[in-house]
């Protein structure tokens, strides 16, 4: 919705009961510190939240923004001829699973190493972490500047699932036609080798995924240049066409 001025953040923290006391204190403090760093980067602060004792480690939160109605970009005004821009590559689910298998030296890694090297596994994980750590604040700001026609984040439903939801909400009778997609290196070729993550089909879940944004052609070009300049990572920005012809991700009627 292009809301980049965050008023405050509420944090939810799960403190693990399965850790020994010393490890729990170290890990919890580091998690809180990292969370606060990201909140500070977003230009706001944590004002409250909730902490719970948990079997597993957990951290997350809710960002709250206040804006005039005129500042809110509604998600359902894509037009024929628009360009869809995806601001982060997909493949994080495979990358982090691979790294976990590698670190644990478990039976999954015994099979995975037949198809991917240790170095490529580590590189994929580092790439995934880099993009998961990147805020979408600048992209949200530039959505306003370049007059986006709608957007969605790419998270648990995968790029196809979220794109399907977005196209189904459009006021105009349009389809989203994907002809290219940014993917973390080696993840597309590795998909299905050990577990079928459905990355190629577009259903692999993403954590802190990018924004899929609709612009007219001229605005899309300006947005891509601006985001690339901001992040110095032009290869992560890809675009696809919006068409009135039924090819892919057809709007439900």
């Amino acid at each position: 919705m292009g809301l980049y001025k965050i008023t405050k953040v509420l944090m939810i923290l799960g403190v693990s009961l399965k850790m020994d006391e010393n490890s729990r204190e170290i890990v919890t403090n580091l998690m809180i510190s990292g969370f606060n760093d990201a909140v500070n980067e977003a230009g706001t602060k944590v004002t409250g939240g909730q902490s719970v004792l948990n079997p597993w480690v957990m951290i997350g939160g809710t960002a709250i923004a206040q804006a005039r109605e005129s500042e809110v970009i509604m998600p359902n005004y894509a037009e024929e001829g628009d360009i869809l821009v995806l601001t982060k590559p997909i493949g994080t689910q495979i990358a982090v699973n691979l790294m976990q298998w590698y670190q644990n030296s478990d039976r999954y890694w015994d099979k995975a190493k037949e198809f991917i090297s240790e170095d490529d596994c580590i590189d994929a994980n580092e790439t995934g972490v880099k993009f998961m750590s990147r805020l979408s604040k600048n992209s949200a700001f530039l959505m306003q500047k370049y007059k986006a026609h709608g957007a969605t984040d790419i998270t648990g439903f995968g790029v196809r699932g979220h794109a399907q939801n977005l196209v189904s909400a459009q006021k105009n009778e349009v389809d989203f036609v994907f002809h290219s997609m940014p993917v973390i290196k080696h993840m597309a070729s590795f998909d299905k080798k050990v577990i079928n993550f459905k990355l190629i089909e577009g259903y692999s879940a993403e954590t802190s995924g990018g924004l899929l944004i609709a612009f007219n052609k001229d605005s899309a070009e300006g947005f891509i240049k601006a985001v690339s300049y901001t992040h110095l990572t032009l290869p992560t920005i890809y675009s696809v066409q919006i068409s009135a012809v039924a090819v892919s991700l057809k709007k439900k009627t």
Side-chain angles (χ1 to χ4, degrees):
M1 289 187 166
L3 301 181
Y4 60 91
K5 297 177 182 178
I6 307 302
T7 305
K8 61 182 178 180
V9 172
L10 303 178
M11 182 176 67
I12 176 71
L13 176 68
V15 180
S16 176
L17 292 169
K18 292 187 175 182
M19 290 182 174
D20 63 75
E21 185 175 350
N22 185 55
S23 297
R24 183 165 58 240
E25 182 175 357
I26 293 171
V27 170
T28 302
N29 285 335
L30 286 173
M31 287 171 58
I32 294 172
S33 177
F35 190 91
N36 280 325
D37 286 345
V39 170
N40 290 336
E41 185 182 347
T44 186
K45 58 184 178 180
V46 177
T47 60
Q50 183 180 13
S51 298
V52 296
L53 296 175
N54 232 25
W56 54 88
V57 175
M58 179 181 69
I59 194 165
T62 300
I64 299 171
Q66 292 178 323
R68 296 183 178 89
E69 185 176 355
S70 61
E71 297 175 309
V72 178
I73 297 175
M74 299 306 293
N76 52 354
Y77 287 93
E79 301 175 353
E80 181 181 359
D82 276 0
I83 300 295
L84 282 169
V85 179
L86 181 60
T87 60
K88 295 183 185 182
I90 62 174
T92 56
Q93 185 181 39
I94 302 179
V96 297
N97 273 273
L98 261 175
M99 191 62 183
Q100 186 177 31
W101 299 343
Y102 168 66
Q103 290 176 328
N104 293 339
S105 298
D106 60 18
R107 61 187 178 89
Y108 291 114
W109 177 248
D110 289 340
K111 185 173 182 180
K113 65 185 180 183
E114 299 176 15
F115 307 101
I116 191 168
S117 69
E118 293 182 12
D119 286 343
D120 288 341
C121 169
I122 294 170
D123 287 345
N125 182 70
E126 289 179 350
T127 299
V129 170
K130 178 179 72 174
F131 284 107
M132 286 187 287
S133 302
R134 174 183 293 173
L135 299 179
S136 291
K137 179 181 178 180
N138 287 333
S139 295
F141 167 75
L142 293 169
M143 281 174 61
Q144 297 280 355
K145 180 177 180 179
Y146 291 98
K147 309 298 182 185
H149 292 165
T152 181
D153 63 336
I154 306 301
T155 50
F157 296 126
V159 64
R160 187 183 180 96
H162 286 285
Q164 183 70 69
N165 290 338
L166 184 61
V167 75
S168 297
Q170 297 308 305
K171 292 181 177 294
N172 296 316
E173 293 292 332
V174 296
D175 294 323
F176 293 173
V177 183
F178 288 77
H179 57 71
S180 61
M181 189 66 58
V183 184
I184 296 173
K185 191 175 181 180
H186 301 299
M187 297 302 95
S189 60
F190 182 79
D191 190 27
K192 299 182 177 66
K193 292 295 192 296
V194 178
I195 294 176
N196 184 5
F197 290 95
K198 296 186 178 181
L199 178 68
I200 305 304
E201 295 86 349
Y203 291 118
S204 183
E206 302 296 327
T207 298
S208 186
L211 300 179
L212 185 68
I213 315 170
F215 296 99
N216 67 41
K217 187 175 184 297
D218 290 339
S219 293
E221 292 174 354
F223 176 88
I224 290 170
K225 289 179 181 178
V227 171
S228 300
Y229 176 78
T230 302
H231 296 309
L232 304 178
T233 50
L234 181 60
T236 69
I237 311 298
Y238 282 69
S239 60
V240 297
Q241 195 77 25
I242 296 183
S243 169
V245 181
V247 179
S248 178
L249 295 178
K250 187 175 181 180
K251 179 178 178 180
K252 295 179 180 179
T253 56

